[in-house]
Amino acid sequence: NAGVTQTPKFRILKIGQSMTLQCAQDMNHNYMYWYRQDPGMGLKLIYYSVGAGITDKGEVPNGYNVSRSTTEDFPLRLELAAPSQTSVYFCASSYSSRFGYTFGSGTRLTVV
Amino acid sequence: AQTVTQSQPEMSVQEAETVTLSCTYDTSESDYYLFWYKQPPSRQMILVIRQEAYKQQNATENRFSVNFQKAAKSFSLKISDSQLGDAAMYFCAYRYGDNAGNMLTFGGGTRLMVKP
């Protein structure tokens, strides 16, 4: 019953460093999403994918990149980390709009 | 673009009492879905309840129910017999159409505190 698995759960980065947030789902969902949640705020969409090999930008894509080589995996890449990217990152997947998302447990990222 | 507004940043309720969280949304679509998510301190996002716009009947899940007013574009969440475990952030969310590629748009959240 893994659902959506995100790693790592916590990470501290120095300004200018890069890292990849991993996301994997085992439900054969075609649709996957990355959101960020700033303190005390709602979730904002970074990138999404409607299937392997297809990705598109969301509301706040600057400073991030994604790839979707398989149905299961949807990693989020941060290049040249900045303090403004300090946030909690959620990956989610979906089979149908009727049933909402299945969320991962989130990654808390701090850039210092 | 669709927007979702939660006008109450914080709410508090006495244990065993009833509380209503407000949500309004803006859309020109007629086919859409609405959701309430709960985010406890563990930060896990948990689906509480959902409503299909074409259904007039308000959704109910145990102690949780909604008041869906389509014409007013309002979607409030009522929690009855509040419990300490209900303390959390609550997010209202909107999703249009029947294409799963369509994204959820979230409100800013309401923090619910439950007093013993």
Side-chain angles (χ1 to χ4, degrees):
Chain A
N1 297 337
V4 178
T5 302
Q6 286 185 241
T7 56
K9 294 191 183 303
F10 303 92
R11 182 73 185 267
I12 298 175
L13 276 182
K14 293 184 178 180
I15 295 172
Q17 287 185 321
S18 301
M19 76 164 294
T20 299
L21 280 65
Q22 301 292 343
C23 176
Q25 53 93 5
D26 62 358
M27 298 169 286
N28 203 32
H29 288 173
N30 281 329
Y31 307 99
M32 296 187 74
Y33 310 85
W34 274 106
Y35 283 81
R36 60 176 286 173
Q37 182 183 24
D38 297 332
M41 305 290 285
L43 281 71
K44 293 186 177 181
L45 182 67
I46 305 171
Y47 270 95
Y48 67 100
S49 170
V50 299
I54 305 170
T55 62
D56 207 346
K57 297 177 180 179
E59 183 183 359
V60 289
N62 291 344
Y64 307 94
N65 276 301
V66 294
S67 60
R68 184 94 181 273
S69 57
T70 66
T71 299
E72 294 77 21
D73 299 303
F74 189 41
L76 178 71
R77 178 81 177 163
L78 278 72
E79 304 283 1
L80 299 175
S84 61
Q85 294 178 304
T86 294
S87 191
V88 177
Y89 292 83
F90 286 98
C91 179
S93 71
S94 174
Y95 168 74
S96 165
S97 60
R98 302 179 65 184
F99 303 109
Y101 292 170
T102 299
F103 280 91
S105 58
T107 297
R108 181 178 295 278
L109 175 68
T110 303
V111 181
V112 297
Chain B
Q2 292 79 16
T3 57
V4 179
T5 303
Q6 294 177 249
S7 59
Q8 307 152 316
E10 284 190 359
M11 293 282 285
S12 65
V13 63
Q14 205 72 34
E15 195 175 7
E17 297 292 310
T18 295
V19 64
T20 298
L21 308 184
S22 300
C23 173
T24 59
Y25 57 95
D26 185 23
T27 184
S28 58
E29 304 289 335
S30 59
D31 179 22
Y32 54 88
Y33 301 86
L34 296 163
F35 307 85
W36 278 98
Y37 280 88
K38 172 184 178 182
Q39 186 180 42
S42 67
R43 90 176 172 232
Q44 182 69 43
M45 295 289 286
I46 303 166
L47 179 63
V48 174
I49 199 167
R50 68 182 182 93
Q51 174 79 41
E52 294 145 328
Y54 63 86
K55 288 189 176 179
Q56 293 185 340
Q57 186 174 4
N58 289 324
T60 300
E61 290 287 344
N62 300 314
R63 297 183 295 106
F64 298 87
S65 61
V66 299
N67 183 6
F68 174 47
Q69 302 289 328
K70 190 172 184 179
K73 298 180 182 176
S74 170
F75 182 60
S76 60
L77 175 69
K78 185 171 83 171
I79 306 174
S80 303
D81 186 25
S82 297
Q83 301 174 359
L84 296 178
D86 295 334
M89 284 289 289
Y90 286 83
F91 292 97
C92 177
Y94 162 98
R95 190 178 198 182
Y96 73 89
D98 199 22
N99 178 350
N102 294 330
M103 298 74 71
L104 278 173
T105 299
F106 288 87
T110 296
R111 181 175 302 281
L112 178 66
M113 296 173 285
V114 181
K115 299 177 181 178

